[in-house]
Amino acid sequence: KQEVTQIPAALSVPEGENLVLNCSFTDSAIYNLQWFRQDPGKGLTSLLLIQSSQREQTSGRLNASLDKSSGRSTLYIAASQPGDSATYLCAPYPGGQFYFGTGTSLTVIP
Amino acid sequence: EAQVTQNPRYLITVTGKKLTVTCSQNMNHEYMSWYRQDPGLGLRQIYYSMNVEVTDKGDVPEGYKVSRKEKRNFPLILESPSPNQTSLYFCATAYEGASTEAFFGQGTRLTVV
């Protein structure tokens, strides 16, 4: 069974900082990995999807990398803003279901 | 607009009273699934469906039932809810395949007293 770990569990940074969120997973046999954002009490919003054949994916200030062989992915957020405050979840997809970590709770202080 | 719609959004019920949480999608996705989210445990899959009339258990199926009679709908049924089923529930849908991108509903917060 896929185990997903996200570090750190919580992060508080001043506005404008660049930051890195880490995700590790135990089974490298995945089709892709997706990063989500979840606001309190809300659903999940997809941020980036990296296919297993890709090394990274970019969208605006977000950049996600994937090292499938070592079971690691990172989400890089540039020039953080208060609106980035949320919980970030990574989800490797081996087929059949998405496996989730418990997320990184990010607070960006104005 | 691509949508995954769950109803109800909030529900308080009593132990043993059967209930159904509905999920509907307008994207013609083959794959649909239900997750529950609990503090400290993250999201765990309850059931999933790869297509009409095809369903399978996830990691925590006990106490739940599902059906997939139409492609767009995937209801979650709690025949006899218990307090340990108090949770935040999410429906997710996707095209099945290597490029699968999941879309989630807004969630249903269920309280069983």
Side-chain angles (χ1 to χ4, degrees):
Chain A
K1 182 190 166 193
Q2 182 78 266
E3 301 285 340
V4 182
T5 303
Q6 290 189 245
I7 295 172
L11 185 60
S12 183
V13 300
E15 182 176 2
E17 278 209 359
N18 303 323
L19 53 101
V20 175
L21 309 182
N22 297 293
C23 170
S24 61
F25 49 96
T26 54
D27 188 347
S28 62
I30 62 172
Y31 285 121
N32 61 50
L33 184 142
Q34 199 164 353
W35 281 91
F36 294 89
R37 167 189 174 133
Q38 185 177 25
D39 294 285
K42 300 283 183 66
L44 280 69
T45 302
S46 178
L47 297 173
L48 289 165
L49 171 73
I50 313 175
Q51 295 193 36
S52 62
S53 58
Q54 297 176 318
R55 299 285 287 183
E56 65 178 72
Q57 194 69 251
T58 298
S59 176
R61 294 182 294 108
L62 304 179
N63 175 275
S65 67
L66 174 64
D67 183 344
K68 199 176 76 151
S69 61
S70 67
R72 295 179 188 275
S73 178
T74 61
L75 179 66
Y76 176 81
I77 302 177
S80 57
Q81 302 171 359
D84 294 331
S85 298
T87 295
Y88 291 80
L89 297 157
C90 73
Y93 180 71
Q97 70 165 297
F98 294 86
Y99 289 89
F100 289 87
T102 49
T104 294
S105 177
L106 173 65
T107 302
V108 181
I109 303 163
Chain B
E1 181 191 349
Q3 279 191 328
V4 182
T5 304
Q6 288 180 232
N7 280 297
R9 293 288 313 279
Y10 303 92
L11 180 60
I12 301 174
T13 190
V14 296
T15 298
K17 185 177 181 182
K18 181 180 179 179
L19 66 92
T20 299
V21 183
T22 63
C23 175
S24 179
Q25 50 101 355
N26 64 356
M27 295 169 278
N28 203 36
H29 285 167
E30 297 91 358
Y31 173 91
M32 296 185 75
S33 67
W34 278 102
Y35 289 82
R36 61 178 288 173
Q37 186 176 33
D38 302 289
L41 296 176
L43 282 131
R44 295 176 292 168
Q45 190 180 58
I46 303 170
Y47 270 96
Y48 66 99
S49 169
M50 301 297 259
N51 216 321
V52 176
E53 303 291 0
V54 179
T55 63
D56 210 344
K57 296 178 181 178
D59 292 327
V60 289
E62 295 77 18
Y64 304 95
K65 284 177 58 177
V66 293
S67 69
R68 187 92 181 272
K69 293 181 170 44
E70 307 168 276
K71 200 170 189 179
R72 63 181 289 126
N73 295 320
F74 190 45
L76 178 69
I77 303 158
L78 285 72
E79 296 263 355
S80 183
S82 62
N84 65 11
Q85 293 178 297
T86 293
S87 187
L88 180 58
Y89 291 86
F90 288 103
C91 176
T93 78
Y95 285 115
E96 175 60 5
S99 302
T100 297
E101 178 181 1
F103 295 82
F104 280 75
Q106 286 301 299
T108 295
R109 185 165 293 281
L110 172 66
T111 302
V112 183
V113 298

